[in-house]
Amino acid sequence: MSTDIIANRYRIVREIARSNDVVYEAIDQSMGRRLAVKELSLPPNLTGQAKRERIERFNREARAAGKLQHPNIVTVYNFGEADGRHFIAMEYLEGGTLRDAIQSRGALPLQEALEIASQVLSALSHAHANKVIHRDVKPDNIHLLAGGQVKLTDFGIARLTEEASLTGEGQVFGTPSYMSPEQIEGRFIDHRSDLFSLAVLLYEMLSGRKPFTGDSVVSITYSIMHNDPPALVGVPFGVEQVIFRALKKDPGQRYNSAEEMRQALKNADAVPSMFLPRQPTNLGGSFGAPAYPPSSPYGQPYSGPPSIQPGPYGPSPLGAGLPPAIAPLFPGLPGNTAYAPPPQPAMPAQTGGGPFVNWGAPQPGYPPGYGAPPAPPYVQRRDGPLVPKALGDFLKVLALAVALGGLVVALVILFLHAYEQQQQRKASDAIYRLLNDGKKLYESGDLERAAAKFEEAYKASPSSKAGNDAKLSLAITLNRLGTKAYDRGDLKQAETYWYHALDFDADNNDVHYNLGKLYDRMGNHDRALEEWQHSSGGGRVGGPNPAAPGSSTAMQSHYEQARLYFNAGTDAYNRGETDAARENWQKALGEAPGTDIAARAQEYLARTESGPSF
């Protein structure tokens, strides 16, 4: 029997898991209950602020899970510190993780995967309603119990939205393969980041592989930021479309809540299989080969019903887009009528041989006994050809020459057309080679050379699709170069890179957001506000409105504007300008409601309204 006891209550039985912390099977001696105890593991060299933050993050995990009471979330009984040992006591979970199931079985059956996803979404819905964002949804943190119950575990990097963030600007926490684009960039995240991670997890359950892959963290994160996931073969179209919507790069294009996504999956799964365009048939190919046309990049066939998902225009009708019934084509088969030509009128009967046998028959309009009228006396019969033989031969040769000439012209036109297409293909291939070279350089971290490749590809064909891809890739690369210059303190170089990026993508909200950070750091708050207003959806005078109101960049820009307004209000108050202070605090409250800054602005408004100084 183990004598290791934590907090004079929890007797350790055995170690069952170890990562950053240690998890034990234990017995609660006061209640005789088996449970799991997670103990904080602090490296000996961790001191000062870093140590305090590590302890606070551990305690925040306990508070995050402890405030959630849901059948699909691990239950936390107690947490605290005793004799320098920080611990969390929680329910003991039998079974294994979803990671174990995928590694041993590969892709899971459709209904099993959807049931697991539904239970996790139910857990996330409860967590989000209680202002907890998990931030690390992955198979390792999904526990499968006997009987089919699912438990969401490990709130170690969860964010409590009503508490100040422990993550500094640009810090990234999470598992790369399951992180959302906004999480990768260390930007402001909300509950829709969890929905992205859940979609990655569901994709992996249904296919046995992750949607975004690579041979390094850099290539994986690049794929998440820029690539679309491969089609899900053998998965109902409606289910596939739900997953792809949740995997949108822009959070504003994902589902608004976990419950909305759960209902969308439920509705997609309820569509009868006869209406799904991915059923194999034996038409037009070998037995079992799909008979539908080639799929689009997302796997959607050219024909078949649209996704039965709620969207901005409402749900689509179930039968819309189905091809009409194919009429029978073969005579003699059941349900077919063999084709027969219509009856033809009979030829007049002939009384004798020769072509002129009816000349003596009575003709309409003439008295009986009379035949056809005699030929005019000036019409003379002429034997032999009407055209001289030499002229006929000449005309035949001329016709043959014209035909041969036309054929030669047609062959020349076809050759020129084929040559032109070949040249276009060569040019396109050359551009895509440059794009691929640039991508490899980007992934290796050689951003300067990557930018040069992308710019060369763009200049080669600025109006083509490949040229447009090169232009956008160039803007992204220049943005990253600007960020690196900013991080090392070279603000002038950062400004140059970012404005060069806007030359190729004027409405890039990430670049405008970064310029706002630059001018804020330089103390030019008016310019900072101008850039953040652009990236938060306000747009510049006379310009388009490029930002999606729900995008993470837009939300972060609103947050930064609120911070500037709050600080301006504090400065005004310290100068004795209470009215100006209250006006700025009110603006801060309007820019970022529900955030910590808004809470402080509301507090200061209330305190200045009641009179006492602070």
Side-chain angles (χ1 to χ4, degrees):
M1 178 181 293
S2 172
T3 58
D4 188 6
I5 298 176
I6 296 179
N8 295 320
R9 178 174 178 178
Y10 306 111
R11 178 170 55 81
I12 303 304
V13 176
R14 64 188 177 97
E15 181 180 316
I16 56 178
R18 180 182 291 266
S19 54
N20 293 330
D21 303 312
V22 187
V23 182
Y24 303 102
E25 178 187 349
I27 300 294
D28 183 346
Q29 297 186 122
S30 65
M31 302 183 67
R33 175 171 59 187
R34 183 169 68 157
L35 75 169
V37 173
K38 185 174 186 178
E39 183 179 6
L40 174 63
S41 178
L42 290 172
N45 60 345
L46 194 66
T47 59
Q49 179 66 23
K51 182 177 181 179
R52 289 193 295 272
E53 285 188 4
R54 182 71 184 85
I55 294 172
E56 174 54 27
R57 194 173 298 283
F58 185 81
N59 292 334
R60 180 168 291 194
E61 173 186 0
R63 292 197 301 274
K67 69 186 294 188
L68 305 175
Q69 300 296 318
H70 190 275
N72 297 122
I73 296 177
V74 62
T75 301
V76 170
Y77 302 129
N78 186 22
F79 76 98
E81 181 266 336
D83 301 322
R85 303 177 73 175
H86 299 266
F87 67 90
I88 302 173
M90 63 188 77
E91 76 175 300
Y92 184 86
L93 301 177
E94 299 282 3
T97 67
L98 179 58
R99 170 68 64 213
D100 300 330
I102 294 175
Q103 287 180 345
S104 62
R105 297 166 56 194
L108 304 184
L110 174 66
Q111 292 304 319
E112 182 180 353
L114 291 179
E115 177 59 28
I116 292 171
S118 178
Q119 292 190 48
V120 176
L121 283 166
S122 181
L124 291 174
S125 180
H126 178 76
H128 297 163
N130 285 276
K131 300 182 179 180
V132 175
I133 303 169
H134 190 280
R135 298 205 299 180
D136 200 17
V137 177
K138 60 182 180 181
D140 311 76
N141 294 335
I142 308 297
H143 211 92
L144 308 180
L145 305 183
Q149 188 179 11
V150 175
K151 291 277 188 177
L152 178 61
T153 67
D154 199 345
F155 286 74
I157 62 169
R159 178 185 171 212
L160 282 71
T161 56
E162 73 272 20
E163 296 186 13
S165 175
L166 286 177
T167 305
E169 183 179 326
Q171 284 186 292
V172 178
F173 289 94
T175 305
S177 294
Y178 302 91
M179 289 165 61
S180 65
E182 61 270 25
Q183 195 173 359
I184 288 172
E185 292 192 331
R187 298 185 297 171
F188 176 83
I189 67 170
D190 62 12
H191 61 282
R192 291 169 296 187
S193 180
D194 283 346
L195 302 187
F196 185 97
S197 302
L198 186 278
V200 174
L201 182 146
L202 179 53
Y203 186 107
E204 185 176 5
M205 282 194 286
L206 291 172
S207 66
R209 67 181 190 279
K210 299 179 183 68
F212 307 105
T213 58
D215 54 8
S216 67
V217 172
V218 172
S219 59
I220 291 171
T221 54
Y222 180 90
S223 180
I224 292 173
M225 295 296 300
H226 304 294
N227 297 342
D228 293 321
L232 280 165
V233 179
V235 174
F237 177 66
V239 174
E240 181 188 59
Q241 292 304 99
V242 173
I243 296 172
F244 286 169
R245 177 175 172 184
L247 290 177
K248 292 292 187 183
K249 312 300 183 189
D250 183 353
Q253 297 180 20
R254 301 175 202 153
Y255 291 97
N256 293 319
S257 68
E259 181 58 27
E260 182 184 357
M261 183 177 175
R262 193 177 75 86
Q263 288 299 325
L265 279 174
K266 181 178 178 181
N267 293 338
D269 184 43
V271 178
S273 60
M274 65 179 289
F275 291 110
L276 298 175
R278 295 192 179 282
Q279 303 303 317
T281 73
N282 195 31
L283 295 176
S286 60
F287 180 77
Y292 46 79
S295 59
S296 71
Y298 291 110
Q300 178 183 357
Y302 292 134
S303 62
S307 173
I308 313 302
Q309 302 303 324
Y313 304 108
S316 303
L318 187 61
L322 289 176
I326 300 176
L329 299 177
F330 303 102
L333 296 178
N336 289 271
T337 301
Y339 172 79
Q344 300 295 325
M347 296 297 292
Q350 297 183 353
T351 58
F356 312 114
V357 294
N358 292 319
W359 273 28
Q363 302 295 320
Y366 292 90
Y370 286 85
Y378 55 84
V379 177
Q380 300 181 5
R381 180 174 177 180
R382 177 177 176 179
D383 295 326
L386 297 177
V387 179
K389 184 176 183 304
L391 179 60
D393 291 342
F394 171 77
L395 292 176
K396 289 179 183 179
V397 172
L398 180 62
L400 180 60
V402 170
L404 289 174
L407 179 60
V408 171
V409 171
L411 289 174
V412 169
I413 292 174
L414 287 173
F415 172 79
L416 292 175
H417 180 66
Y419 178 78
E420 182 180 0
Q421 286 187 324
Q422 183 186 26
Q423 294 302 110
Q424 290 175 351
R425 279 195 299 270
K426 286 183 178 180
S428 179
D429 290 345
I431 294 173
Y432 277 109
R433 278 196 297 271
L434 289 170
L435 282 173
N436 288 331
D437 290 344
K439 180 181 176 182
K440 291 176 182 177
L441 290 167
Y442 181 96
E443 292 176 351
S444 69
D446 193 346
L447 300 181
E448 287 282 3
R449 291 177 62 199
K453 291 290 184 182
F454 292 142
E455 188 162 8
E456 184 180 353
Y458 169 68
K459 290 180 178 179
S461 182
S463 59
S464 67
K465 181 183 182 302
N468 186 63
D469 291 344
K471 180 178 70 170
L472 296 179
S473 298
L474 176 57
I476 291 169
T477 308
L478 290 169
N479 184 34
R480 291 295 298 274
L481 282 166
T483 301
K484 284 182 172 294
Y486 178 88
D487 290 342
R488 65 175 180 264
D490 191 347
L491 304 187
K492 191 64 179 176
Q493 185 64 58
E495 184 181 37
T496 300
Y497 278 130
W498 284 331
Y499 272 108
H500 193 31
L502 292 180
D503 290 338
F504 297 96
D505 187 7
D507 294 328
N508 190 310
N509 294 322
D510 292 338
V511 176
H512 284 291
Y513 171 75
N514 287 335
L515 281 168
K517 289 200 306 181
L518 173 75
Y519 292 127
D520 180 42
R521 184 171 174 178
M522 295 170 65
N524 191 340
H525 295 153
D526 289 340
R527 289 288 299 276
L529 277 174
E530 180 185 354
E531 296 296 338
W532 284 333
Q533 284 168 359
H534 188 289
S535 59
S536 66
R540 291 183 173 176
V541 177
N545 181 0
S551 71
S552 57
T553 302
M555 296 174 69
Q556 185 67 37
S557 299
H558 282 297
Y559 185 87
E560 297 293 353
Q561 292 176 72
R563 180 177 58 80
L564 287 186
Y565 284 132
F566 179 84
N567 291 340
T570 304
D571 292 342
Y573 185 84
N574 290 334
R575 294 194 303 269
E577 302 171 4
T578 304
D579 290 342
R582 288 178 57 81
E583 181 181 353
N584 279 290
W585 289 332
Q586 193 66 51
K587 289 181 180 179
L589 184 62
E591 283 292 341
T595 63
D596 54 342
I597 290 179
R600 292 180 66 188
Q602 184 67 61
E603 176 190 352
Y604 281 27
L605 284 169
R607 292 172 70 174
T608 53
E609 186 176 34
S610 59
S613 178
F614 58 88

